[in-house]
């Protein structure tokens, strides 16, 4: 299973313009999107090297340019589990002052809460001592305070991802039948929006993997139903597009790593990438040129390693 913080990180990066339009609509006329968006993950690691990677949250730092040519930095924190964390507000403040001190760049921050544990939905860090006071406020978005209708009415692709996360809060989705209905309805709506293939593929992956079926056979059933839905709408079905992307990425990475080691590493990369995108073992085996048993062994080792680091 792909961790939700991983899904959020990938989604924000792939749909960053939609993300900005969703959360910062009143400021978009000031942002020069023609210059693109630059992600600063390495800078974030240097700023907070002691961050606890076992926590289920997703941090992203990126910069954009304003129309006046100035750089501005965006700090995004996605809280995906709602664990008790009395130090969260202080950590947000740490990010802010370390960025300001080290890079002297203006920063805006937002915390996206995708859980229902309101006791830990901080919106500010405050401290005072002997007449000196400090208040650091940051934006927050509490998913539980919205409705699916609100999120869908935005007409924004990122709103559909948020709707997916909102539905995951419903305990009824622990039932595979209810989950099947929910996922297929989301997919039909997604395909009716006229989005480009890249966005469709990214949102499909998010919908497919954000909540897992209890019975693995239902996952295959869902994938088959999506194939039926997409066949009449897309010249290349979602599944085929994903397979092509995974294979191309694996080949490229294999070439970069050298011919002798590249073959083995390419196959391993293809297996892990395809597994993270939710593809069945038999399909992965076919594109990687391995047996189903070899694929299963690679996936088991990968998940064991992820479990150790979690």
């Amino acid at each position: 299973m792909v961790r939700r913080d991983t899904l959020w990180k990938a989604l924000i990066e792939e749909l960053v313009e939609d993300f900005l339009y969703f959360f910062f609509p009143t400021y978009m006329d000031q942002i020069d999107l023609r210059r693109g968006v630059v992600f600063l993950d390495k800078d974030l690691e240097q700023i907070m090297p002691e961050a606890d990677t076992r926590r289920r949250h997703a941090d992203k730092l990126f910069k954009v340019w304003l129309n006046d040519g100035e750089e501005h930095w965006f700090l995004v924190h996605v809280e995906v589990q709602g664990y008790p964390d009395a130090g969260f507000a202080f950590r947000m403040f740490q990010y802010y002052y370390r960025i300001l001190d080290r890079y002297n760049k203006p920063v805006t921050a937002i915390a996206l809460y995708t859980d229902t544990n309101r006791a830990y939905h901080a919106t500010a860090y405050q401290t005072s001592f002997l007449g000196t006071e400090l208040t650091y406020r940051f934006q927050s978005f509490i998913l539980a305070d919205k409705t699916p209708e609100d999120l869908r009415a935005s007409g924004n692709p990122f709103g559909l991802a948020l709707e997916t996360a909102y539905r995951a809060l419903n305990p009824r989705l622990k039932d595979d039948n209810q989950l099947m209905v929910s996922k297929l309805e989301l997919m039909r709506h997604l395909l009716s929006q006229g989005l480009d293939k890249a966005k469709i593929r990214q949102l499909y992956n998010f919908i497919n993997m954000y909540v897992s079926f209890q019975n693995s056979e239902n996952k295959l059933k869902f994938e088959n139903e999506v194939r039926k839905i997409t066949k009449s709408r897309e010249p290349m079905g979602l599944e085929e597009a994903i397979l092509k992307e995974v294979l191309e990425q694996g080949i490229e990475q294999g070439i970069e790593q050298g011919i002798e080691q590249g073959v083995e590493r390419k196959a391993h990369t293809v297996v892990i990438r395809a597994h993270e995108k939710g593809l069945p073992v038999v399909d992965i085996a076919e594109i990687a040129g391995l047996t189903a048993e070899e694929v299963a062994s690679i996936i088991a080792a990968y998940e064991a390693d992820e479990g150790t680091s979690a």
Side-chain angles (χ1 to χ4, degrees), residues 101-120:
D101 179 60
R102 185 164 183 168
Y103 303 101
N104 193 27
K105 299 296 183 182
V107 180
T108 185
I110 183 169
L112 170 56
Y113 297 108
T114 62
D115 63 286
T116 57
N117 197 342
R118 298 176 186 276
Y120 302 100

Side-chain angles (χ1 to χ4, degrees), residues 266-285:
K266 180 195 74 174
H268 187 275
T269 299
V270 168
V271 169
I272 298 307
R273 286 184 179 274
H275 171 63
E276 289 183 338
K277 291 177 183 293
L279 302 184
V281 168
V282 290
D283 287 351
I284 299 174

Side-chain angles (χ1 to χ4, degrees), residues 74-86:
F74 287 74
L75 171 65
V76 180
H77 179 95
V78 183
E79 193 65 35
V80 297
Q81 188 164 323
Y83 55 85
D85 186 3

